[in-house]
């Protein structure tokens, strides 16, 4: 089998949903590396038996299936992708810089997403004020980290950029819905610049989910959480 | 290790998360300085080395900090790569190890946080059964292997083993027996404690229980 035939023989599938920022990470990573793949579109209200078989523990997207090997959890998948397809590396070679990238990716998921998603989008009143304050504190740390750099990964998009990338699109929608500005150009000039750079980067800019559809979805989520949604 | 290499660990003696780093360093035979932190009165050094989370553990290597226990464990594995690899070399197997370590870090951590912040009489309602089910799930994943890492102690073991000295505490608070409900996990703990890298990194279960009770009193649940 020559190299071209071998590459064609590789089967790469991504289980995803149109709205998932986590699945989007996987799609970005594969496309940035020029890896061909098929997308299996899931409906989380009606999960396919295959998804439940592949991810019995979390029952979530994304799932990557590479030549029959199943990998779950977006950050785990990103590292697998980086180790399997070595072109356009997402992580640097130096262990301390690698650790730094992993730290910020984790910070994004553990703290930033929690404070903005859980604390701002899904809350109101005093609880939302607290969520907003926590979010601003978290964004300040990101501002300090990105200052002087084009991307969190340096000159090129890295693991932390991909993990935090949802801020460059999904956050706009949250801000519109709640009427609050989080990544304020004046307060966080470096982070605002990164947002622009990342949102418009090749590959990234071609794969954002539809704004209006996301807005509808997020408004519904917010209302459901605040007890204002139409009972089903 | 080179003579000018400085390795310091900011930690607290009872921390199951800090113990992960101790195990990793011990496996690699790395000499380090342990600096006990007072989390009720955080030191300037801790705040300087972990300004974002202000938490332990923090590994300081030649003046540069690394934070988050599993990030630290991977860092240790990559820097001291010539001895006792914690992650396998195959990307798919590495992904499996990362998945399970992440599972321990999220699921089990969440369970024990609930256990520690809940009154004894509320434990059943708060998820005692779910905790035991999670432990059984881990048993299933271990199977007949000596370690989660296979033949040698690995990344998932590093994440999980510290709980071995905390199980005595959870048994008492939850009123269950690890030996009765999770015999495989119980045997795994006993077996791993025979390894010096593990026994030297963990603390005496009775001392831990004493500490836990004092902490629970402080939190108003005991």
């Amino acid at each position: 089998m020559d190299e071209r035939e071998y590459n064609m023989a590789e089967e790469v599938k991504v289980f995803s949903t149109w709205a998932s920022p986590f699945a989007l990470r996987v799609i970005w990573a594969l496309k940035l590396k020029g890896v061909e793949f098929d997308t299996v579109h899931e409906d989380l209200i009606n999960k396919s038996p295959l998804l439940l078989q592949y991810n019995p523990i979390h029952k979530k997207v994304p799932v990557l299936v590479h030549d029959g090997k199943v990998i779950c959890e977006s950050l785990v998948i990103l590292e697998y992708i980086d180790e399997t397809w070595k072109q356009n590396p997402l992580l640097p070679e130096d262990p301390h810089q690698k650790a730094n990238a992993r730290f910020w990716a984790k910070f994004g998921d553990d703290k930033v997403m929690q404070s903005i998603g859980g604390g701002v989008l899904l809350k109101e009143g005093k609880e939302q004020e607290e969520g907003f304050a926590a979010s601003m504190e978290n964004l300040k740390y990101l501002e300090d980290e990105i200052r002087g750099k084009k991307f969190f990964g340096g000159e090129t998009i890295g693991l932390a950029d991909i993990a935090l990338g949802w801020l460059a699109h999904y956050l706009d929608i949250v801000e519109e819905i709640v009427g609050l500005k989080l990544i304020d150009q004046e307060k966080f000039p470096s982070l605002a610049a990164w947002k622009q750079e990342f949102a418009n980067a090749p590959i990234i800019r071609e794969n954002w989910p539809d704004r209006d559809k996301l807005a509808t979805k997020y408004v519904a989520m917010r209302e459901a959480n605040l007890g204002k949604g139409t009972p089903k | 290790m080179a003579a000018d290499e400085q390795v310091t660990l900011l930690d607290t003696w009872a921390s199951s998360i800090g113990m992960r780093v101790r195990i990793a360093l011990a496996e690699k035979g790395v000499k380090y300085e342990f600096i006990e932190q007072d989390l009720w009165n955080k030191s300037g050094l801790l705040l300087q080395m972990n300004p974002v989370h202000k938490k332990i553990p923090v590994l300081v290597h030649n003046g540069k900090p690394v934070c988050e226990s599993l990030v630290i464990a991977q860092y240790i594995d990559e820097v001291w790569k010539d001895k006792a690899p914690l992650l396998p070399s195959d990307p798919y197997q590495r992904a499996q190890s990362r998945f399970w370590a992440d599972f321990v870090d999220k699921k089990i951590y969440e369970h024990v946080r609930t256990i520690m912040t809940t009154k004894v009489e509320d434990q059943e309602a708060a998820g005692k059964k779910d905790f035991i089910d999670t432990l059984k799930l881990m048993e299933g994943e271990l199977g007949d292997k000596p370690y989660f890492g296979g033949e040698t102690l690995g990344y998932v073991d590093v994440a999980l083993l510290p709980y071995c000295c905390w199980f005595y505490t959870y048994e008492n608070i939850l009123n269950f027996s690890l030996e009765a409900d999770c015999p495989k996990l119980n045997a795994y703990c006993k077996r791993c404690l025979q390894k010096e890298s593990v026994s030297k990194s963990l603390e005496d279960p009775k001392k831990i229980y004493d500490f836990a009770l004092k902490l629970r009193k402080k939190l108003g649940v005991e």
Side-chain angles (χ1 to χ4, degrees):
Chain A
M1 205 169 22
D2 71 17
E3 197 193 323
R4 208 167 61 102
E5 280 173 281
Y6 175 79
N7 286 333
M8 280 166 68
E10 263 194 329
E11 200 194 44
V12 184
K13 274 197 171 75
V14 179
F15 285 71
S16 99
T17 61
W18 69 269
S20 168
F22 303 99
L24 189 53
R25 294 171 176 175
V26 176
I27 289 166
W28 282 335
L30 291 168
K31 288 193 173 184
L32 284 166
K33 288 174 180 276
V35 177
E36 300 273 335
F37 64 96
D38 288 321
T39 308
V40 178
H41 296 282
E42 285 287 328
D43 171 4
L44 294 182
I45 301 198
N46 200 12
K47 294 171 187 180
S48 74
L50 203 52
L51 177 67
L52 298 176
Q53 181 197 325
Y54 284 155
N55 194 355
I57 290 180
H58 299 298
K59 306 176 175 58
K60 285 180 177 176
V61 295
V63 175
L64 181 79
V65 186
H66 176 213
D67 287 342
K69 292 172 284 195
V70 180
I71 300 119
C72 307
E73 292 298 288
S74 63
L75 296 182
V76 175
I77 296 171
L78 289 178
E79 298 237 20
Y80 175 82
I81 289 172
D82 207 37
E83 287 167 3
T84 303
W85 294 281
K86 302 213 197 278
Q87 62 275 28
N88 299 337
L90 301 176
L91 280 170
E93 289 287 326
D94 173 67
H96 195 264
Q97 284 178 36
K98 241 189 214 172
N100 203 47
R102 289 174 177 144
F103 175 88
W104 289 108
K106 195 174 195 302
F107 178 73
D109 280 2
D110 292 352
K111 297 285 179 184
V112 185
M113 215 179 252
Q114 290 292 340
S115 59
I116 293 177
V120 176
L121 175 65
L122 299 181
K123 295 276 191 300
E124 61 184 353
K126 185 152 197 310
E127 277 187 302
Q128 191 188 56
E129 277 172 37
E130 286 166 3
F132 183 79
S135 299
M136 294 307 263
E137 211 181 289
N138 292 331
L139 292 171
K140 171 95 187 22
Y141 289 126
L142 291 181
E143 171 75 14
D144 292 341
E145 178 58 22
I146 194 69
R147 191 174 298 118
K149 297 199 286 202
K150 185 174 175 187
F151 295 112
F152 286 93
E155 279 306 302
T156 54
I157 287 172
L159 183 89
D161 299 280
I162 295 190
L164 292 160
W166 62 275
L167 287 166
H169 181 79
Y170 292 75
L171 182 62
D172 294 343
I173 295 150
V174 173
E175 287 174 341
E176 269 171 46
I177 292 170
V178 301
L180 292 165
K181 192 76 186 151
L182 282 132
I183 298 187
D184 185 314
Q185 179 109 21
E186 281 186 35
K187 286 204 181 88
F188 307 126
S190 304
L191 198 57
W194 167 82
K195 247 191 83 178
Q196 280 285 92
E197 195 75 57
F198 185 81
N200 296 310
I203 307 280
I204 308 298
R205 66 174 176 238
E206 290 134 32
N207 288 283
W208 292 119
D210 182 79
R211 268 180 178 259
D212 293 332
K213 267 182 95 176
L214 271 182
T216 305
K217 183 184 167 72
Y218 283 3
V219 165
M221 269 170 66
R222 176 177 163 78
E223 293 190 343
N225 206 65
L226 297 175
K228 289 173 183 168
T230 319
K232 284 204 157 104
Chain B
M1 196 171 75
D4 58 0
E5 280 215 61
Q6 249 291 58
V7 184
T8 305
L9 176 62
L10 308 184
D11 194 358
T12 55
W13 72 272
S15 167
S16 57
I17 308 304
M19 287 173 202
R20 293 172 177 176
V21 180
R22 289 178 236 170
I23 295 172
L25 289 167
E27 278 286 296
K28 302 280 186 177
V30 176
K31 291 205 167 29
Y32 65 96
E33 187 194 3
F34 183 104
I35 306 185
E36 176 77 20
Q37 299 299 300
D38 177 358
L39 297 181
W40 302 94
N41 190 16
K42 293 178 182 179
S43 72
L45 183 62
L46 177 62
L47 299 175
Q48 184 198 336
M49 291 296 160
N50 193 355
V52 175
H53 298 297
K54 307 171 178 62
K55 285 183 173 176
I56 55 92
V58 181
L59 186 79
V60 187
H61 182 209
N62 293 336
K64 292 202 285 197
V66 184
C67 306
E68 296 294 297
S69 63
L70 294 183
V71 175
I72 299 171
Q74 288 188 81
Y75 175 82
I76 289 169
D77 202 33
E78 287 156 16
V79 171
W80 291 280
K81 55 182 183 284
D82 297 327
K83 186 180 177 187
L86 298 173
L87 280 168
S89 49
D90 171 70
Y92 175 62
Q93 286 176 36
R94 288 163 77 85
Q96 295 313 295
S97 294
R98 286 188 173 120
F99 176 88
W100 283 102
D102 176 70
F103 180 79
V104 171
D105 199 38
K106 294 214 168 76
K107 208 77 206 294
I108 297 189
Y109 182 81
E110 212 178 275
H111 280 306
V112 308
R113 210 162 65 116
T114 301
I115 292 169
M116 283 298 290
T117 55
T118 302
K119 292 189 172 151
V120 168
E121 56 264 33
D122 299 331
Q123 292 288 350
E124 292 272 358
K128 171 183 169 178
K129 185 179 181 298
D130 288 341
F131 174 58
I132 297 172
D133 285 345
T134 300
L135 296 180
K136 289 186 167 145
L137 188 67
M138 294 306 299
E139 281 191 317
E141 175 56 24
L142 179 65
D144 294 318
K145 304 194 295 288
Y147 303 99
F148 285 89
E151 290 305 307
T152 53
L153 194 152
Y155 187 61
V156 182
D157 303 284
V158 163
L160 187 65
L161 279 168
Y163 293 117
C164 294
C165 67
W166 273 86
F167 279 131
Y168 179 74
T169 296
Y170 306 142
E171 282 177 314
N172 276 284
I173 295 172
L174 293 176
N175 188 28
F176 87 102
S177 155
L178 191 74
E179 188 170 11
D181 287 328
C182 306
K184 251 194 174 143
L185 203 58
N186 193 53
Y188 163 77
C189 287
K190 281 204 160 87
R191 188 171 61 245
C192 291
L193 279 161
Q194 286 167 24
K195 244 183 160 288
E196 202 179 308
S197 61
V198 178
S199 61
K200 287 237 154 101
S201 305
L202 270 47
E203 296 286 342
D204 176 75
K206 301 228 162 71
K207 276 178 87 179
I208 292 285
Y209 183 46
D210 209 51
F211 165 83
L213 287 177
K214 290 197 177 96
L215 180 58
R216 284 169 61 78
K217 268 202 184 80
K218 225 171 180 170
L219 297 171
V221 292
E222 192 73 33

